[in-house]
Amino acid sequence: MNDSPVGVFDSGVGGLSVLAEIRRQLPAESLLYVADSAYVPYGEKSPETIRQRSQAIAAFLLERGAKALVLACNTATAAAVNDLRSLYDLPIIGMEPAVKPAALATRTGVVGVLATTGTLQSAKFAALLDRFAGSVKVITQPCPGLVELIEQGELQGPRLEALLQSFTQPLLAQGCDTLILGCTHYPFVRQVLQAMLPGVTLIDTAGAVARRLAERLQVNELLATGPARATAFWSSGDPHGMQDILPLLWGQQAEVDLLPV
Ligand code: DGL
């Protein structure tokens, strides 16, 4: 069982930002990654569609022997993690915008959240704010169009900058000094954002998710040991397109197969 793989999925290539942290922290784990690119962006889909897709992908990963699942997607976590946990008895790690660390980090008392419409409208996100925002003012900003640019590998240039400016200027104007990257696609434009917002602290949760996975595997005596293991990729959209973009987002070439669900 310890040699079984960990299954990781996202609506597209965004979850590769989480996969990279998992790979860095847990080199001995064999990893399976599914990009549900035929359905990207999840942020504009109904929770019901996202639940159905998440179940189909989870079933696929379990058939391939997954011993744990990581929803490397804030939007899928908001819509589907409770469902998956009630269906399957194995470690299932989700992710949500880092409201707690951001509330601790802010000095101005104003935190911004960049995330998808689906995440920001979810009951899970409302509960997160109730629990951790305290006296901090949290300003939410949906980012339509941003995931699409990142999916195309457009990680710099005037179009991206104009879009990021339009999302962040209203937050800066209200005194935001801490910005949560509440979607796993956004770390891929972190450098551009940081150059644009020099005094602002950017927070994402990829490292914390990988640590959480390591803890859950450890507690369940499922941690793999031994030499570094491989990562396998599937896409429900265009596997060749994803294969072309992997060197940019994953740092190396790899084969991508068509997801049969
Ligand atoms: N990467 C996803 C997230 O973390 C979803 C992006 C999308 O498909 O809208 O929320």
Side-chain angles (χ1 to χ4, degrees):
M1 187 68 178
N2 293 30
D3 286 338
S4 300
V6 173
V8 181
F9 74 91
D10 177 44
S11 60
V13 293
L16 293 172
S17 64
V18 180
L19 193 73
E21 267 299 320
I22 297 174
R23 181 37 86 223
R24 199 179 64 74
Q25 292 188 30
L26 296 167
E29 298 298 335
S30 175
L31 303 176
L32 314 176
Y33 184 85
V34 170
D36 197 14
S37 312
Y39 289 81
V40 71
Y42 274 5
E44 308 299 322
K45 302 279 182 306
S46 71
E48 192 40 45
T49 301
I50 299 169
R51 274 193 285 278
Q52 281 169 9
R53 291 305 301 163
S54 298
Q55 280 182 27
I57 294 165
F60 169 79
L61 291 167
L62 286 165
E63 262 169 43
R64 316 279 313 188
K67 63 183 175 185
L69 295 178
V70 178
L71 281 65
C73 177
N74 295 265
T75 315
T77 300
V81 77
N82 291 346
D83 253 42
L84 294 181
R85 286 188 178 134
S86 65
L87 283 171
Y88 301 116
D89 182 22
L90 78 172
I92 299 181
I93 318 297
M95 57 194 301
E96 44 194 21
V99 173
K100 187 180 175 189
L104 292 171
T106 179
R107 290 170 309 279
T108 59
V110 184
V111 164
V113 188
L114 303 182
T116 68
T117 309
T119 296
L120 297 175
Q121 286 179 350
S122 68
K124 245 184 176 328
F125 182 69
L128 190 68
L129 287 186
D130 277 350
R131 187 145 173 235
F132 294 118
S135 60
V136 165
K137 179 173 172 189
V138 178
I139 311 168
T140 58
Q141 174 65 58
C143 303
L146 183 52
V147 161
E148 288 86 334
L149 285 191
I150 296 165
E151 284 287 317
Q152 290 158 29
E154 198 168 325
L155 305 186
Q156 52 192 4
R159 210 154 57 136
L160 175 74
E161 283 171 27
L163 200 59
L164 292 177
Q165 288 280 4
S166 73
F167 296 142
T168 55
Q169 280 317 308
L171 304 178
L172 284 189
Q174 293 178 74
C176 159
D177 71 342
T178 306
L179 190 56
I180 300 171
L181 307 184
C183 165
T184 54
H185 282 74
Y186 306 165
F188 287 115
V189 296
R190 188 185 190 113
Q191 280 176 354
V192 177
L193 260 178
Q194 192 68 81
M196 203 174 263
L197 310 168
V200 173
T201 305
L202 304 180
I203 299 190
D204 79 84
T205 51
V209 168
R211 282 194 293 280
R212 178 97 188 107
L213 171 65
E215 278 162 25
R216 292 292 304 277
L217 292 178
Q218 167 103 56
V219 165
N220 289 280
E221 298 182 357
L222 290 171
L223 262 184
T225 50
R229 295 226 172 68
T231 308
F233 298 91
W234 287 266
S235 166
S236 62
D238 169 18
H240 298 292
M242 181 165 167
Q243 214 161 288
D244 290 345
I245 214 177
L246 273 182
L248 179 69
L249 301 180
W250 177 243
Q252 52 183 292
Q253 290 189 324
E255 220 170 276
V256 181
D257 287 320
L258 180 64
L259 185 78
V261 292

